[in-house]
Amino acid sequence: MRPLLLANWWRLYIIGLWVRCGGGPLTLQKEIYKMNNHLNLLDTGNGNTKIAKTNRGGLYRVASLSLMPDRILCPGSKAAGCFEGCLKSSGRGRFDNVAAGRQWRSDLWHQDQDQFLDRLHKELGNFAKLCKKTGITPAARLNTISDIAFERFGIPELFPEIYFYDYTKRAARLNKTPDNYRLMFSYSGRAQYANQVQIALGAGVPIAAVFRDQFPAEFLGRPVIDGDKSDLINSKAGPVIIGLKAKGALAKADQSGFVIDAERIPALVVAA
Ligand code: SF4
């Protein structure tokens, strides 16, 4: 009930601003942008449900960066067909203020990349210091719901004390990241994406696959592990299939090839 009320207040606030600004859509866009300018890029608490499961257990503290995905931030999404079933609007992403914050971060990336990288640099530095003080190992997931090649901007190298990990739908990124940045490949069964899957299989990295119901024992000739426990463990699992359960109504209904029906995979043994 409370999140619903907050979401409505947020809408009223936006409409109030719009009226105050004279009703122009561009002015409103500018006001929303300014309003969010105080936000941090990183969430260093457990604000994202995808990160909370990994933080459980307490050896690492994970900082996450959540943007609003689009076709530029996720260039592999067209071939993979994952854009509609993406988790962008599930969990806390359903709330208007969360979606607005993510949109502000994406806009900042598109409009002023230098400022974005400066801010990210500062926030990662503060996070690393905080973790040192509290005696916990820092980890970071910068592509919680995006697929930016952060290795091209030298970010992981600047913070060797932080363990970076991400999923990607861009096979060209695999095995090109520094030692403290591990990538897992994200599978889709679409024909347009088959060459990406072949490259990923050859790269020997963990491959994440989303299943509608139960996991098969094997997929693509590799054993399937339960990947819903910890992404940090998944990132170090080697050449396995990381089995993930489809979450959210859109993902569960997905027919693009991104979500797999285990019972429709021929010649595979389904685990009990
Ligand atoms: S690449 Fe990932 S974040 Fe981007 S649209 Fe696909 S599932 Fe969503």
Side-chain angles (χ1 to χ4, degrees):
M1 192 66 193
R2 181 173 290 178
L4 204 65
L5 279 174
L6 280 175
N8 285 337
W9 277 113
W10 178 256
R11 272 197 201 100
L12 285 174
Y13 184 51
I14 298 276
I15 291 164
L17 266 179
W18 184 62
V19 171
R20 193 156 57 85
C21 298
L26 280 176
T27 321
L28 174 64
Q29 202 183 17
K30 252 190 195 164
E31 285 298 319
I32 294 173
Y33 187 82
K34 273 197 274 175
M35 197 164 66
N36 282 311
N37 210 30
H38 67 282
L39 291 177
N40 285 335
L41 293 179
L42 296 178
D43 177 356
T44 57
N46 275 345
N48 188 296
T49 34
K50 283 164 97 178
I51 302 300
K53 70 172 185 188
T54 296
N55 266 345
R56 246 174 263 137
L59 287 179
Y60 285 84
R61 181 163 174 176
V62 181
S64 64
L65 173 58
S66 296
L67 292 92
M68 182 60 77
D70 58 41
R71 301 288 188 189
I72 298 170
L73 297 174
C74 301
S77 64
K78 193 170 173 207
C82 56
F83 200 77
E84 302 309 326
C86 176
L87 291 177
K88 56 186 178 286
S89 46
S90 69
R92 294 180 70 244
R94 293 190 313 270
F95 303 130
D96 293 354
N97 59 335
V98 173
R102 290 177 181 175
Q103 190 60 59
W104 168 76
R105 292 183 193 98
S106 292
D107 291 346
L108 183 61
W109 174 263
H110 290 310
Q111 290 162 19
D112 191 348
Q113 215 167 88
D114 288 346
Q115 190 194 149
F116 186 104
L117 290 168
D118 272 1
R119 283 180 179 231
L120 183 60
H121 189 189
K122 273 188 205 118
E123 289 185 35
L124 282 170
N126 291 339
F127 174 63
K129 274 188 218 147
L130 177 73
C131 289
K132 193 172 178 195
K133 218 192 258 175
T134 50
I136 198 158
T137 310
R141 181 167 173 189
L142 300 184
N143 282 310
T144 311
I145 36 175
S146 55
D147 198 356
I148 296 172
F150 282 102
E151 63 276 13
R152 287 182 41 212
F153 301 92
I155 298 285
E157 286 99 329
L158 285 171
F159 300 96
E161 68 277 43
I162 301 180
Y163 178 77
F164 293 83
Y165 67 96
D166 269 324
Y167 291 89
T168 184
K169 285 205 166 64
R170 303 164 70 180
R173 293 184 64 202
L174 301 174
N175 290 335
K176 292 186 186 132
T177 52
D179 288 349
N180 64 329
Y181 189 12
R182 295 269 185 109
L183 290 180
M184 298 162 273
F185 183 73
S186 187
Y187 174 85
S188 164
R190 289 187 105 205
Q192 303 91 309
Y193 194 63
N195 66 331
Q196 297 286 306
V197 176
Q198 280 310 317
I199 296 168
L201 282 168
V205 299
I207 297 182
V210 181
F211 295 92
R212 204 172 316 274
D213 295 310
Q214 75 259 66
F215 300 143
E218 276 190 4
F219 184 59
L220 302 175
R222 291 179 171 193
V224 178
I225 64 162
D226 179 358
D228 276 323
K229 291 186 182 135
S230 163
D231 286 325
L232 281 169
I233 295 173
N234 296 345
S235 69
K236 298 174 186 181
V240 298
I241 299 296
I242 299 165
L244 303 169
K245 289 255 164 76
K247 296 169 197 77
L250 282 176
K252 282 180 188 151
D254 179 87
Q255 294 298 332
S256 69
F258 174 50
V259 177
I260 306 153
D261 286 300
E263 66 271 19
R264 289 197 202 153
I265 305 167
L268 288 180
V269 184
V270 176

Short mmCIF file of all heavy atoms in Angstrom, two decimals, residues 69 74 76-77 82-83 86-88 144-147 169 258, ligand 1:
data_model
loop_
_atom_site.label_atom_id
_atom_site.label_comp_id
_atom_site.label_asym_id
_atom_site.label_seq_id
_atom_site.Cartn_x
_atom_site.Cartn_y
_atom_site.Cartn_z
N PRO A 69 17.51 0.56 -19.27
CA PRO A 69 18.06 0.01 -20.52
C PRO A 69 17.41 0.60 -21.76
O PRO A 69 16.23 0.94 -21.75
CB PRO A 69 17.77 -1.50 -20.41
CG PRO A 69 16.79 -1.66 -19.32
CD PRO A 69 16.83 -0.43 -18.46
N CYS A 74 22.15 -1.41 -24.54
CA CYS A 74 22.08 -2.88 -24.66
C CYS A 74 22.13 -3.27 -26.13
O CYS A 74 21.12 -3.70 -26.70
CB CYS A 74 20.78 -3.39 -24.05
SG CYS A 74 20.56 -2.98 -22.32
N GLY A 76 23.22 -5.74 -27.67
CA GLY A 76 22.96 -7.16 -27.99
C GLY A 76 21.50 -7.54 -27.87
O GLY A 76 21.11 -8.65 -28.24
N SER A 77 20.67 -6.62 -27.38
CA SER A 77 19.28 -6.99 -27.06
C SER A 77 18.44 -7.25 -28.31
O SER A 77 17.48 -8.01 -28.26
CB SER A 77 18.63 -5.90 -26.20
OG SER A 77 18.54 -4.70 -26.92
N CYS A 82 15.71 -9.82 -26.01
CA CYS A 82 15.47 -9.80 -24.55
C CYS A 82 14.83 -8.51 -24.08
O CYS A 82 14.52 -8.38 -22.90
CB CYS A 82 16.79 -10.02 -23.82
SG CYS A 82 18.06 -8.82 -24.27
N PHE A 83 14.65 -7.54 -24.96
CA PHE A 83 14.25 -6.21 -24.48
C PHE A 83 12.86 -6.22 -23.84
O PHE A 83 12.66 -5.62 -22.79
CB PHE A 83 14.30 -5.19 -25.63
CG PHE A 83 14.36 -3.78 -25.16
CD1 PHE A 83 15.55 -3.25 -24.67
CD2 PHE A 83 13.23 -2.99 -25.14
CE1 PHE A 83 15.61 -1.95 -24.18
CE2 PHE A 83 13.29 -1.69 -24.66
CZ PHE A 83 14.48 -1.17 -24.17
N CYS A 86 12.84 -8.02 -20.43
CA CYS A 86 13.87 -7.53 -19.51
C CYS A 86 13.26 -7.20 -18.14
O CYS A 86 12.10 -6.77 -18.06
CB CYS A 86 14.51 -6.28 -20.11
SG CYS A 86 15.72 -5.51 -19.04
N LEU A 87 14.06 -7.36 -17.08
CA LEU A 87 13.56 -7.13 -15.72
C LEU A 87 13.44 -5.65 -15.36
O LEU A 87 13.23 -5.33 -14.20
CB LEU A 87 14.50 -7.81 -14.71
CG LEU A 87 14.49 -9.34 -14.73
CD1 LEU A 87 15.52 -9.88 -13.76
CD2 LEU A 87 13.11 -9.87 -14.39
N LYS A 88 13.57 -4.76 -16.35
CA LYS A 88 13.60 -3.33 -16.03
C LYS A 88 12.36 -2.85 -15.28
O LYS A 88 12.42 -1.93 -14.49
CB LYS A 88 13.80 -2.48 -17.30
CG LYS A 88 12.77 -2.71 -18.38
CD LYS A 88 13.13 -1.93 -19.62
CE LYS A 88 12.17 -2.16 -20.77
NZ LYS A 88 12.28 -3.44 -21.44
N THR A 144 23.80 -3.67 -13.98
CA THR A 144 22.71 -4.43 -13.37
C THR A 144 21.59 -4.63 -14.39
O THR A 144 21.04 -5.73 -14.50
CB THR A 144 22.17 -3.69 -12.13
OG1 THR A 144 23.27 -3.33 -11.31
CG2 THR A 144 21.24 -4.57 -11.32
N ILE A 145 21.25 -3.58 -15.13
CA ILE A 145 20.30 -3.72 -16.25
C ILE A 145 20.76 -2.86 -17.44
O ILE A 145 20.06 -1.96 -17.88
CB ILE A 145 18.84 -3.39 -15.86
CG1 ILE A 145 18.77 -2.25 -14.85
CG2 ILE A 145 18.06 -4.58 -15.40
CD1 ILE A 145 17.37 -1.79 -14.51
N SER A 146 21.97 -3.15 -17.91
CA SER A 146 22.51 -2.49 -19.10
C SER A 146 23.66 -3.37 -19.58
O SER A 146 23.91 -4.43 -19.00
CB SER A 146 23.01 -1.07 -18.75
OG SER A 146 23.95 -1.12 -17.68
N ASP A 147 24.34 -2.97 -20.64
CA ASP A 147 25.44 -3.80 -21.16
C ASP A 147 26.53 -2.89 -21.74
O ASP A 147 26.88 -2.99 -22.92
CB ASP A 147 24.88 -4.78 -22.21
CG ASP A 147 25.82 -5.95 -22.47
OD1 ASP A 147 26.93 -5.98 -21.90
OD2 ASP A 147 25.43 -6.84 -23.25
N LYS A 169 25.47 -9.63 -23.12
CA LYS A 169 24.94 -10.28 -24.33
C LYS A 169 25.82 -9.92 -25.52
O LYS A 169 25.40 -10.03 -26.68
CB LYS A 169 23.50 -9.83 -24.57
CG LYS A 169 22.53 -10.50 -23.59
CD LYS A 169 21.13 -10.58 -24.11
CE LYS A 169 20.30 -11.53 -23.29
NZ LYS A 169 20.12 -11.09 -21.89
N PHE A 258 14.32 -16.12 -25.58
CA PHE A 258 15.15 -15.71 -24.43
C PHE A 258 14.89 -16.63 -23.23
O PHE A 258 15.80 -17.05 -22.53
CB PHE A 258 14.81 -14.25 -24.11
CG PHE A 258 15.44 -13.69 -22.88
CD1 PHE A 258 16.80 -13.82 -22.65
CD2 PHE A 258 14.68 -12.99 -21.95
CE1 PHE A 258 17.38 -13.28 -21.51
CE2 PHE A 258 15.25 -12.44 -20.82
CZ PHE A 258 16.61 -12.60 -20.60
S1 SF4 B 1 20.75 -6.87 -22.42
FE1 SF4 B 1 20.03 -7.30 -20.31
S2 SF4 B 1 19.51 -5.30 -19.47
FE2 SF4 B 1 19.61 -5.07 -21.68
S3 SF4 B 1 17.51 -5.39 -22.43
FE3 SF4 B 1 18.54 -7.38 -22.52
S4 SF4 B 1 18.05 -8.36 -20.55
FE4 SF4 B 1 17.60 -6.15 -20.32
#
